[in-house]
Amino acid sequence: QVQLQESGPGLVKPSETLSLTCAVSGYSISRGFYWGWIRQPPGKGLEWIGSIYHSGDSYYNPSLKSRVTMPLDTSKNQFSLKVKSVTAADTAVYYCGKLNGGLSGSPPQFYFDYLGQGTLVTVSS
Amino acid sequence: SYELTQPPSMSVSPGQTATIKCTGDKLGDKYVCWYQQKPGQSPDLVIYQDKKRPSGIPERFSGSNSGNTATLTISETQAIDEADYYCQVWDSNTVVFGGGTKLTVL
């Protein structure tokens, strides 16, 4: 059973960098699958942030791509999210997850089969 | 960018069938999945690849996808099914979510 746990500061100041880590247990991220992040502003819907493969291959939401990086640390079996130059609009519950599916299918598909419990990040001075 | 449209809300009586729709251009050419999210919880996958159920999801949940519309059907709806439901696809190297449908069981 794959388990994911987000961690990081719950409060970030505007213009600073939001940094979260997702610790994975029950599966080695170096073995495969894509891993990613979604977020949910209070009272709103889900927004995909990005996804990364163990090889480093990655995909990002075009609206966030210029501000987002998602480094992997296979030695610690974890991956991270960094969002720079945050504003109040980045206030949300952030979820990390494992994606299943793949690009080789017809049609290709990706879906989150495991998600962490989420962590609220508030951007405020 | 690709867009998925869902009704913001709907209601159903206990024991009845709930049908939640998700529309998008040529949606039937893509694989659709569905998530259930209860208040204060993370989303749970209830349908993937249009109509497959993950382990542990009751048979009451079923899915279909054709033309421009995907449908999540919940048969014999129970109070525990009250939740937000989101459809999702993969398009042009991005994950796309629908806006979500709040299902009320009353």
Side-chain angles (χ1 to χ4, degrees):
Chain A
Q1 180 81 350
V2 179
Q3 293 185 311
L4 304 103
Q5 179 66 58
E6 307 88 350
S7 63
L11 181 64
V12 181
K13 290 182 168 55
S15 79
E16 296 189 345
T17 296
L18 179 160
S19 294
L20 295 174
T21 297
C22 181
V24 180
S25 59
Y27 191 86
S28 172
I29 64 175
S30 62
R31 288 178 55 192
F33 290 110
Y34 278 79
W35 306 85
W37 294 89
I38 60 176
R39 69 181 184 179
Q40 185 171 36
K44 296 188 178 181
L46 302 174
E47 180 182 34
W48 173 68
I49 301 172
S51 302
I52 188 165
Y53 196 55
H54 70 93
S55 63
D57 182 33
S58 59
Y59 300 99
Y60 295 105
N61 186 324
S63 68
L64 297 168
K65 185 175 183 178
S66 64
R67 298 193 294 127
V68 170
T69 56
M70 294 176 52
L72 286 169
D73 187 341
T74 55
S75 67
K76 295 183 178 179
N77 212 39
Q78 64 186 32
F79 58 101
S80 300
L81 171 69
K82 297 184 184 299
V83 183
K84 64 181 182 182
S85 305
V86 298
T87 69
D90 294 306
T91 293
V93 175
Y94 286 76
Y95 299 97
C96 64
K98 170 186 168 290
L99 290 97
N100 209 331
L103 296 169
S104 59
S106 182
Q109 63 173 329
F110 281 108
Y111 52 90
F112 286 91
D113 56 355
Y114 293 95
L115 285 166
Q117 64 183 22
T119 186
L120 174 62
V121 179
T122 301
V123 178
S124 174
S125 56
Chain B
S1 59
Y2 195 78
E3 293 187 358
L4 293 172
T5 301
Q6 298 181 239
S9 64
M10 65 175 294
S11 61
V12 63
S13 300
Q16 299 303 302
T17 296
T19 54
I20 302 173
K21 296 189 182 298
C22 172
T23 61
D25 185 48
K26 298 180 181 178
L27 185 56
D29 293 342
K30 308 179 188 299
Y31 279 136
V32 177
C33 66
W34 292 88
Y35 301 89
Q36 175 194 68
Q37 185 181 33
K38 297 181 180 180
Q41 298 183 17
S42 57
D44 288 323
L45 183 71
V46 293
I47 293 289
Y48 68 99
Q49 203 166 308
D50 293 342
K51 56 185 179 182
K52 295 185 176 181
R53 282 179 291 104
S55 174
I57 300 302
E59 292 183 8
R60 303 184 290 105
F61 289 83
S62 62
S64 63
N65 182 22
S66 179
N68 294 324
T69 304
T71 302
L72 173 68
T73 302
I74 309 172
S75 304
E76 300 177 347
T77 307
Q78 303 177 10
I80 58 171
D81 300 327
E82 187 164 287
D84 294 328
Y85 291 86
Y86 296 89
C87 57
Q88 180 243 297
V89 298
W90 174 256
D91 177 82
S92 300
N93 294 333
T94 64
V95 170
V96 180
F97 286 102
T101 298
K102 182 177 182 61
L103 177 67
T104 300
V105 181
L106 46 70

